[in-house]
Amino acid sequence: MKPFIKLNGVVASLDRENVDTDQIIPAVHLKRIERSGFGQFLFSQPGWRFLSDGQPDPAFELNKPSYQGASILIAGRNFGGGSSREHAPWALLDYGFSVIIAPSFADIFYNNCFQNGMLPIILEDSVIKSLMEKSQSSAEGYELTVDLQNEEIYDGEGFRIGFKTDPYRRESLLKGLDDIGMTLEMTDKILAFERANQ
C-alpha cells in the first residue's frame, strides 16, 4: 500500500443511503483474482452507471462531467452494507477513490477500506449535506483537501473541519502498512519476547 498523508482532490457525491457491496461491485464481475481491474465495473448494475446498451447513463451521479477524475466520494448513511467482500473497496480504489466520507459505514466495509489503503471518514449528516450541495453545484469540480496527519478536511473557500480516526488505523495508513506490515514492524520485539520466554 502507498502511505496516505494528505490528498487534494475533486469530490463526487452519491446522494443515496444503504448502498451495499453488490451495488458497489455486482457479484457477476467477481471473477478476477487480482485486486485491480474492478473499477470499470463500479456501480455497473442495471439502472446505475450504465444504460442497457453499455453507454454511460447521464442521469447517474458519478457520470457528471464535473466529477470526472474524482478521488473523494461523499455518500449517504450505511455505505458498504451487505456482504463482507473486499472487492467493494478494491473497485472504488481502482476507479480512483481514495477517501469515502459518509455519516456511517457498515463495519466490515469500514475495516476493509483501511486494509486496502483507503480512508473512510465519518461526519455529521449536516456536514455531509453541505458538502454534497457544494459538489453538486460546482461546474468546475469542487475540491477538498483531506489531511490525515492533522485529521482535518478543508477547501479553498473557508470550510474546515476536524475528524477522528482510530490511532492504530491512522498510523497504518500514514505508513502505508496493513495489519501484517504493522506486525512485521515489531519483529525485533517479538523475537526478544520469544527468546526471553524459552
Side-chain angles (χ1 to χ4, degrees), residues 14 16-25 42-43 48 73-89 92 100-113 118 120:
L14 187 65
R16 304 182 188 210
E17 296 187 349
N18 302 308
V19 174
D20 65 38
T21 52
D22 200 50
Q23 292 165 325
I24 295 170
I25 178 71
L42 182 72
F43 300 121
W48 282 58
L73 178 65
I74 299 183
R77 287 184 162 278
N78 193 35
F79 189 81
S83 75
S84 61
R85 65 179 69 134
E86 274 192 287
H87 302 79
L92 288 158
I100 314 292
I101 303 173
S104 60
F105 294 90
D107 288 342
I108 294 175
F109 174 84
Y110 184 76
N111 289 319
N112 281 343
C113 284
M118 295 177 64

Side-chain angles (χ1 to χ4, degrees), residues 131-145:
L131 292 174
M132 280 189 176
E133 288 173 353
K134 288 182 178 186
S135 74
Q136 290 164 353
S137 63
S138 174
E140 304 279 322
Y142 176 63
E143 293 188 9
L144 281 174
T145 298

Side-chain angles (χ1 to χ4, degrees), residues 9-86:
V10 173
V11 177
S13 295
L14 187 65
D15 193 4
R16 304 182 188 210
E17 296 187 349
N18 302 308
V19 174
D20 65 38
T21 52
D22 200 50
Q23 292 165 325
I24 295 170
I25 178 71
V28 68
H29 300 299
L30 307 185
K31 299 173 183 175
R32 305 176 64 86
I33 58 172
E34 306 89 358
R35 293 185 181 196
S36 60
F38 291 103
Q40 60 186 316
F41 306 119
L42 182 72
F43 300 121
S44 64
Q45 76 168 36
W48 282 58
R49 196 166 136 217
F50 300 106
L51 297 168
S52 58
D53 63 0
Q55 295 300 309
D57 184 348
F60 183 65
E61 295 97 313
L62 296 190
N63 290 333
K64 287 180 63 171
S66 61
Y67 288 175
Q68 299 315 297
S71 55
I72 300 169
L73 178 65
I74 299 183
R77 287 184 162 278
N78 193 35
F79 189 81
S83 75
S84 61
R85 65 179 69 134
E86 274 192 287

